[in-house]
């Protein structure tokens, strides 16, 4: 099912930003129906629509441009591609400031989600839903409120805490501590775990009991509650029916992109082939800017461009190349492609002739056209081949900076969607996988290591690496207790989750963002500072307040 977002209720109690914005188009909408929102939410249809609307903001982050910018840019694994207009997210230059509209869009969207959740919690007790339905819907609502607060507090730090619906703009606000935010998060998730007990079958992206446990595992690890993180990760691993797919590349095949049918996807943000069921057009001007054509956009963000090379043009199969991100030299070097299937399962290195109008002499359609090499290639070898070769020294300078124009690099293909109707179609039906079973193993490994049990940590890692092993390489892929370090865990997470919108949070959580961005990201190294572990509060949110002296900007930002 791909229909949980079909109801977006336009009312001040649902879509108004939570208290820090001046009036917006959303606050000015008129109810053209004779039924008021108060009456509608007291019906079963109205309550279900209200709960469904709580899910909507998940789609502004997962599979979207701003979500990838705030999780992949400026880390150790991704550098800016040649066509990106957002280099300040990558290099932490002085242009990265509170006036950047992406921060405002995230802030507004997630606070709207929180307000929708607060509204739903207020109407739920008096709704005509059965007691069992109310319990399930409460679990979903509380999960989503916790989910949005997690993203907001990890991104912006201390933020306003709202547990009641906001129905009019507010001109004063205070920032609650991150500790207070997490108290609510964990309280909500513990309630959700109880209310969703026994709800384990995914239905179009709805929250389930194991999804709550997975989020708890991630957040307990984030807060250094390692015993609890291990317990929750083990719960997801052992108590439900999830299984690692035997083939890492098949995990990402478009035929397995429906999260409800993929054996190792614990929770996902769903998208539809029918763009009317996606998010396009459901937001204000900022939404149109950041969401554009709807659907999942990840498939276009990590692709190179070989314009001008004989015999090749981009097509539906190779994907529309927006050239936004390219892998860092560090990322390429942590894969051993002779043993680890995740390299070929994640990256494309060869392109074939598909353009009859530009074939080189002697080249036929289907012949090799372009090859990327992780290692240096001699001039003699190049001359012996009819195709174009870009080797590591063509792609990177000695210091790891990409060569201009930053178009030629391995393509991250795990988000590919060759079922799109035409080569320039942006919207993809691919679901965005938020929690996978392999993350639970690596959470359990990290928690075990921090608890002093490196042997147990290695045993969890080896489950993931056994699945990743090429045929005949399972033994060579195994690691020992002595291999367990935080840097090894981060390397392993990069191999497993590259591009999956986890990296910035992983580096921040482990206290490694500054160190590893400085070491492995030559764009970030000159500028990144300790204060960059937080993003700036959107300037407009502070400007409208009467108590600006109490509500201060994060250090380092204007």
């Amino acid at each position: 099912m791909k229909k949980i977002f079909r109801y977006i209720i336009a009312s001040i109690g649902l879509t108004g930003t939570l208290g820090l914005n001046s009036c917006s188009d959303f606050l000015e909408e008129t109810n053209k129906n004779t039924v008021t929102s108060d009456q509608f939410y007291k019906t079963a249809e109205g309550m279900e629509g209200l709960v469904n609307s709580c899910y909507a903001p998940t789609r502004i982050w997962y599979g979207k441009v701003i979500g990838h910018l705030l999780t992949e840019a400026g880390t150790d694994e991704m550098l800016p591609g040649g066509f990106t207009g957002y280099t300040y997210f990558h290099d932490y230059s002085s242009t990265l400031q509170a006036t950047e509209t992406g921060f405002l869009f995230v802030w507004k969207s997630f606070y709207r989600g929180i307000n929708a959740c607060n509204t739903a919690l207020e109407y739920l007790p008096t709704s005509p839903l059965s007691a069992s339905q109310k319990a399930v819907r409460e679990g979903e609502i509380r999960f989503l409120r916790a989910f949005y607060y997690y993203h907001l507090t990890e991104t912006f730090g201390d933020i306003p805490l709202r547990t009641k619906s906001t129905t009019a703009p507010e001109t004063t606000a205070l920032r609650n501590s991150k500790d207070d935010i997490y108290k609510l998060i964990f309280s909500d998730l513990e309630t959700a775990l109880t209310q969703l007990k026994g709800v384990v079958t995914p239905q179009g992206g709805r929250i389930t009991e194991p999804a709550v446990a997975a989020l708890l595992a991630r957040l307990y690890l984030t807060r250094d509650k390692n015993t609890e993180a291990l317990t929750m990760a083990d719960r997801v691993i052992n108590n439900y029916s999830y299984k690692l797919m035997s083939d890492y590349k098949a995990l990402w095949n478009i035929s397995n992109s429906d999260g409800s049918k993929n054996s190792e996807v614990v929770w996902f943000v769903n998208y539809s082939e029918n763009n009317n069921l996606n998010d396009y057009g459901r937001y204000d001007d900022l939404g149109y800017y950041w969401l554009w054509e709807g659907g999942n956009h990840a498939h276009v963000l990590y692709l190179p461009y070989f314009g001008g090379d004989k015999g090749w043009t981009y097509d539906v199969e190779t994907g529309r190349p927006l050239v936004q991100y390219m892998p860092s030299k560090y990322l390429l070097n942590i894969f051993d492609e002779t043993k680890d299937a995740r390299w070929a399962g994640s990256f494309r290195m060869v392109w074939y002739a598909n353009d009859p109008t530009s074939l080189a002499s002697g080249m036929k359609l289907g012949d090799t056209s372009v090859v990327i090499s992780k290692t240096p290639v001699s001039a003699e070898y190049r001359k012996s081949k009819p195709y174009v070769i870009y080797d590591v020294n063509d792609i990177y300078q000695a210091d790891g900076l990409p060569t201009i124009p930053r178009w030629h690099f391995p393509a991250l293909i795990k988000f590919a969607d060759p079922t799109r109707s035409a080569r320039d179609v942006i919207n993809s039906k691919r679901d965005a996988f938020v929690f996978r079973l392999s993350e639970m193993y690596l959470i359990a490994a990290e928690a075990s290591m921090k608890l002093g049990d490196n042997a147990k940590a290695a045993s969890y890692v080896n489950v993931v690496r056994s699945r990743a092993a090429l045929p005949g390489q399972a033994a060579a892929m195994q690691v020992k207790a002595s291999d367990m370090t935080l840097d090894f865990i981060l390397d392993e997470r990069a191999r497993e989750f590259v591009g999956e919108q986890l990296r910035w949070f992983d580096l921040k959580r482990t206290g490694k963002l500054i160190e590893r961005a400085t070491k492995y990201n030559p764009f970030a190294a000159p500028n990144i500072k300790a204060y960059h572990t937080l993003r700036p509060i959107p300037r407009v949110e502070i400007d409208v307040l009467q108590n600006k002296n109490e509500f201060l900007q994060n250090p380092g930002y204007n």
Side-chain angles (χ1 to χ4, degrees):
M1 288 175 56
K2 300 263 186 183
K3 299 180 180 178
I4 65 169
F5 295 105
R6 75 168 85 180
Y7 298 105
I8 305 296
I9 310 302
S11 74
I12 189 171
L14 181 55
T15 57
T17 303
L18 272 204
L20 296 188
N21 274 345
S22 57
C23 291
S24 70
D25 292 340
F26 284 88
L27 299 183
E28 296 166 0
E29 289 193 17
T30 305
N31 190 341
K32 301 185 187 327
N33 201 323
T34 57
V35 180
T36 66
S37 60
D38 184 70
Q39 292 172 308
F40 187 55
Y41 296 155
K42 291 180 180 178
T43 68
E45 180 187 10
M47 190 68 240
E48 292 286 25
L50 181 55
V51 174
N52 289 344
S53 71
C54 295
Y55 282 84
T58 61
R59 281 180 169 171
I60 69 98
W61 184 275
Y62 286 95
K64 288 302 193 295
V65 169
I66 189 59
H68 282 269
L69 276 172
L70 291 177
T71 51
E72 296 294 334
T75 69
D76 53 0
E77 68 181 25
M78 287 295 163
L79 306 179
F83 292 171
T84 183
Y86 308 108
T87 53
Y88 43 88
F89 282 94
H90 293 268
D91 64 17
Y92 296 95
S93 67
S94 59
T95 311
L96 188 70
Q97 287 295 343
T99 52
E100 163 55 49
T101 62
F103 297 129
L104 177 60
F105 183 55
V106 168
W107 181 280
K108 286 173 60 175
S109 298
F110 283 163
Y111 267 119
R112 284 172 180 159
I114 289 167
N115 203 39
C117 292
N118 289 339
T119 304
L121 287 173
E122 290 167 8
Y123 280 97
L124 185 63
T126 57
S127 76
L129 299 182
S130 67
S132 60
Q133 287 176 309
K134 286 180 181 178
V136 170
R137 297 297 178 249
E138 182 184 2
E140 295 176 48
I141 297 163
R142 290 190 181 276
F143 172 99
L144 290 165
R145 184 168 70 174
F147 192 69
Y148 299 139
Y149 268 126
Y150 156 66
H151 286 79
L152 284 168
T153 195
E154 288 300 327
T155 302
F156 299 107
D158 296 347
I159 54 173
L161 180 64
R162 297 287 187 270
T163 58
K164 302 294 183 183
S165 63
T166 303
T167 58
E170 297 178 6
T171 57
T172 62
L174 296 174
R175 296 178 65 171
N176 294 80
S177 71
K178 192 172 181 178
D179 287 344
D180 286 343
I181 303 298
Y182 267 103
K183 285 179 183 177
L184 177 69
I185 287 172
F186 285 126
S187 174
D188 272 349
L189 291 177
E190 288 161 5
T191 299
L193 200 62
T194 298
Q195 299 294 68
L196 287 166
K197 186 174 179 58
V199 179
V200 298
T201 303
Q203 298 178 16
R206 285 198 180 276
I207 310 304
T208 61
E209 177 190 333
V212 181
L215 181 56
L216 277 167
R218 185 186 288 181
L219 299 196
Y220 280 138
L221 191 70
T222 299
R223 299 297 285 172
D224 204 29
K225 296 177 177 288
N226 297 302
T227 299
E228 294 89 341
L230 178 58
T231 298
M232 283 298 159
D234 272 339
R235 177 171 176 159
V236 179
I237 292 167
N238 298 320
N239 289 18
Y240 309 104
S241 59
Y242 301 106
K243 297 178 182 177
L244 294 178
M245 292 189 68
S246 59
D247 183 344
Y248 185 83
K249 189 170 186 176
L251 164 67
W252 299 104
N253 191 289
I254 193 65
S255 64
N256 293 317
S257 66
D258 183 340
S260 64
K261 298 177 181 178
N262 191 305
S263 67
E264 67 176 88
V265 175
V266 181
W267 186 59
F268 58 95
V269 172
N270 72 327
Y271 287 100
S272 174
E273 193 169 12
N274 180 353
N275 214 21
N276 291 324
L277 299 178
N278 290 324
D279 41 33
Y280 182 58
R282 288 181 171 175
Y283 290 86
D284 56 11
D285 289 343
L286 274 179
Y288 284 112
Y289 177 76
W290 285 105
L291 302 181
W292 21 303
E293 298 182 25
N296 190 333
H297 295 165
H299 64 102
V300 301
L301 300 178
Y302 298 89
L303 302 183
Y305 180 65
F306 301 109
D309 290 324
K310 295 293 186 182
W312 181 85
T313 186
Y314 71 92
D315 58 15
V316 173
E317 192 274 325
T318 59
R320 178 179 173 179
L322 291 194
V323 201
Q324 297 293 295
Y325 301 91
M326 62 179 292
S328 66
K329 202 171 181 179
Y330 149 78
L331 183 65
L332 268 60
N333 289 336
I334 63 171
F335 287 89
D336 183 349
E337 62 270 31
T338 68
K339 301 180 179 68
D340 196 331
R342 289 174 296 191
W343 172 255
S346 300
F347 291 96
R348 182 177 197 147
M349 302 289 278
V350 180
W351 288 258
Y352 299 97
N354 61 1
D355 181 13
T357 67
S358 65
L359 290 172
S361 178
M363 181 182 286
K364 304 185 301 296
L365 291 177
D367 287 350
T368 299
S369 175
V370 178
V371 171
I372 297 289
S373 173
K374 287 175 61 176
T375 57
V377 174
S378 69
E380 292 75 17
Y381 185 84
R382 292 174 193 263
K383 289 179 182 178
S384 72
K385 301 298 180 184
Y387 47 80
V388 176
I389 299 174
Y390 297 102
D391 74 5
V392 64
N393 293 329
D394 296 319
I395 301 170
Y396 303 98
Q397 302 175 45
D399 61 1
L401 275 171
T403 57
I404 302 298
R406 307 200 307 264
W407 294 354
H408 312 131
F409 48 82
L412 182 63
I413 57 170
K414 57 167 58 171
F415 309 121
D417 182 357
T419 66
R420 292 170 297 117
S421 59
R423 72 173 195 164
D424 288 319
V425 170
I426 291 291
N427 53 293
S428 167
K429 69 181 181 182
R430 176 181 288 278
D431 290 336
F433 301 162
V434 180
F435 302 121
R436 292 199 287 115
L437 183 60
S438 59
E439 185 187 359
M440 299 300 108
Y441 281 103
L442 294 185
I443 286 174
E446 186 175 335
S448 296
M449 182 189 69
K450 290 177 176 177
L451 292 169
D453 194 341
N454 281 18
K456 189 175 183 180
S459 69
Y460 284 113
V461 172
N462 282 332
V463 174
V464 176
R465 289 178 68 85
S466 293
R467 185 272 292 276
L470 287 167
Q473 297 297 327
M477 283 285 284
Q478 299 299 287
V479 294
K480 306 181 295 295
S482 59
D483 296 318
M484 293 298 99
T485 66
L486 195 52
D487 282 315
F488 175 86
I489 293 285
L490 284 171
D491 289 348
E492 190 66 17
R493 288 181 69 91
R495 287 183 281 261
E496 182 71 21
F497 305 123
V498 55
E500 294 181 50
Q501 299 186 243
L502 288 168
R503 195 59 176 178
W504 194 86
F505 289 130
D506 281 348
L507 296 181
K508 177 183 176 179
R509 168 177 57 77
T510 56
K512 291 279 190 174
L513 176 62
I514 310 303
E515 175 191 329
R516 288 175 72 102
T518 300
K519 185 175 181 180
Y520 298 123
N521 186 330
F523 284 92
N527 301 317
I528 192 167
K529 302 289 189 298
Y531 71 81
H532 285 123
T533 56
L534 290 178
R535 310 296 193 171
I537 302 293
R539 168 52 56 189
V540 67
E541 299 294 342
I542 298 176
D543 286 347
V544 299
L545 295 178
Q546 294 179 358
N547 62 328
K548 296 181 183 64
N549 293 335
E550 296 178 284
F551 195 101
L552 301 179
Q553 181 58 270
N554 285 329
Y557 299 105
N558 295 329

